Amino acid sequence: MNVEFINPFIKTTAEVISTMAFIEPAAGKPYRKKDQSAGGDVSGLIGLVGEKITGSFAISFTESCIRKIVSNMLEEEIDEVNQDILDAVGEITNMISGGVRAKLQEMGHNFKMATPSVISGKSHAISHITEGPVIIIPFDTEKGPFFIEACLNEKKKDK
Amino acid sequence: MTDTNMKILVVDDFATMRKIIKNILKKLGFQNIAEAEDGVSALEVLKKQEIDFIVSDWNMPNMSGLELLKAIRSDEALKDKPVLMVTAEAQKENIVEAVKAGVNNYVVKPFTPETMKEKIDKIFA
Ligand SMILES: [Mg+2]
């Protein structure tokens, strides 16, 4: 994955979480994903299908972290992973996707609109829609970490 | 001044997002709020109730916000209703498409209550 693609993810994610939940997440150093399991308990996954570059990205939240984020978003205390949390993770994924696509467009890459899917459960796996290396960007908050997984690669030429 | 007594219809497929938008509208003084989960159910509400202003998501199953906007603009009874589109789509061609279809204003998610207020005030100025 082109390293220039990492910054749009970091910027947009911080923007979305701070605007919606009044939490300033701290981004850590990106690294390459080594196994299938997601870092968190609730994840949103969405396709990033473009003309030259294609793939997907996911955002995976630990339970305590997403409970705090959604409690702040809805201004009510949420103490379990419920429908509100699953909905909110879908919506956060959607917003990050929109922001990232707008930034990648400025870099000359167009992507189609897509619908997110949400996965939950302890140590669930995330399957990206294309093969190729997955880059993880860890973020930390007072209530625990969350992770962005980005998998964006040049389309293989049709044979 | 925008009339805070007007009846607003909030359209979004995610209940969570409807709640967030409603919270923001309430903070801005609006109390009279109805909800719908997609374009199809929004049109049903619009036919039954007197709605003054529509705040709609774009990306929804069954009938998208853009399709809803087009349906409103082509309905004799509804065509003059102001519509504010709320969407995560910040790409230029999306905004151009919505403007062509007759949207009154456009908010990109995520947004703050201040941005929402600005966009609404511009519509009713
Ligand atoms: Mg939606």
Side-chain angles (χ1 to χ4, degrees):
Chain A
M1 192 171 109
N2 186 339
V3 290
E4 281 177 29
F5 295 162
I6 293 175
N7 241 338
F9 282 97
I10 296 179
K11 274 190 83 175
T12 310
T13 303
E15 241 167 57
V16 168
I17 300 297
S18 67
T19 310
M20 297 305 294
F22 325 108
I23 288 170
E24 307 286 340
K29 201 170 179 300
Y31 56 91
R32 215 168 137 167
K33 187 178 183 181
K34 291 189 193 75
D35 55 26
Q36 271 305 305
S37 89
D41 309 307
V42 188
S43 306
L45 173 69
I46 193 164
L48 285 171
V49 177
E51 290 140 19
K52 287 171 282 176
I53 310 285
T54 200
S56 51
F57 87 90
I59 183 162
S60 186
F61 297 94
T62 52
E63 189 185 324
S64 56
C65 173
I66 193 61
R67 271 175 25 211
K68 180 66 182 168
I69 287 174
V70 181
S71 296
N72 282 7
M73 281 169 76
L74 294 178
E75 299 170 61
E76 59 189 55
E77 231 27 72
I78 293 174
D79 47 21
E80 53 169 354
V81 175
N82 58 11
Q83 195 58 46
D84 278 340
I85 292 214
L86 302 181
D87 269 17
V89 169
E91 196 57 52
I92 290 169
T93 309
N94 215 10
M95 288 184 209
I96 296 174
S97 165
V100 165
R101 279 183 284 123
K103 290 184 178 75
L104 293 178
Q105 186 180 45
E106 286 166 19
M107 295 161 64
H109 300 289
N110 289 313
F111 294 90
K112 291 191 194 126
M113 248 191 226
T115 312
S117 53
V118 177
I119 316 148
S120 74
K122 294 273 172 211
S123 65
H124 61 265
I126 293 177
S127 314
H128 287 274
I129 61 170
T130 53
E131 283 172 27
V134 176
I135 302 298
I136 296 188
I137 309 161
F139 286 85
D140 207 11
T141 74
E142 243 176 54
K143 297 285 180 183
F146 68 87
F147 307 89
I148 288 281
E149 292 192 2
C151 180
L152 268 185
N153 294 289
E154 252 170 73
K155 258 187 191 168
K156 291 203 185 98
K157 294 223 171 69
D158 291 328
K159 277 170 208 150
Chain B
M1 264 292 285
T2 306
D3 175 17
T4 51
N5 287 317
M6 67 177 168
K7 180 126 193 190
I8 306 178
L9 176 62
V10 174
V11 191
D12 200 300
D13 51 328
F14 282 118
T16 314
M17 204 56 213
R18 294 200 299 270
K19 222 185 259 182
I20 292 168
I21 293 173
K22 264 169 47 187
N23 282 348
I24 290 182
L25 290 173
K26 282 182 182 159
K27 267 182 210 151
L28 299 178
F30 301 100
Q31 294 298 335
N32 215 348
I33 305 166
E35 287 181 47
E37 65 182 10
D38 59 31
V40 175
S41 55
L43 282 177
E44 275 167 30
V45 174
L46 286 166
K47 275 170 194 153
K48 276 186 230 139
Q49 297 183 38
E50 190 52 47
I51 300 288
D52 303 303
F53 175 38
I54 299 123
V55 178
S56 178
D57 182 26
W58 183 316
N59 211 340
M60 297 181 288
N62 300 326
M63 184 193 256
S64 74
L66 189 68
E67 290 162 340
L68 171 64
L69 174 63
K70 288 177 180 168
I72 289 172
R73 290 292 174 260
S74 60
D75 184 307
E76 206 41 52
L78 302 174
K79 67 178 188 340
D80 296 323
K81 302 272 182 207
V83 177
L84 173 67
M85 195 86 100
V86 179
T87 167
E89 299 307 320
Q91 297 182 73
K92 247 186 239 130
E93 63 269 25
N94 295 117
I95 300 174
V96 169
E97 216 181 340
V99 169
K100 269 192 194 150
V103 80
N104 296 77
N105 217 332
Y106 197 97
V107 191
V108 175
K109 291 189 267 194
F111 53 86
T112 59
E114 294 71 43
T115 310
M116 190 74 159
K117 184 179 177 345
E118 240 171 66
K119 302 277 178 173
I120 294 175
D121 285 346
K122 246 191 202 145
I123 293 179
F124 293 97

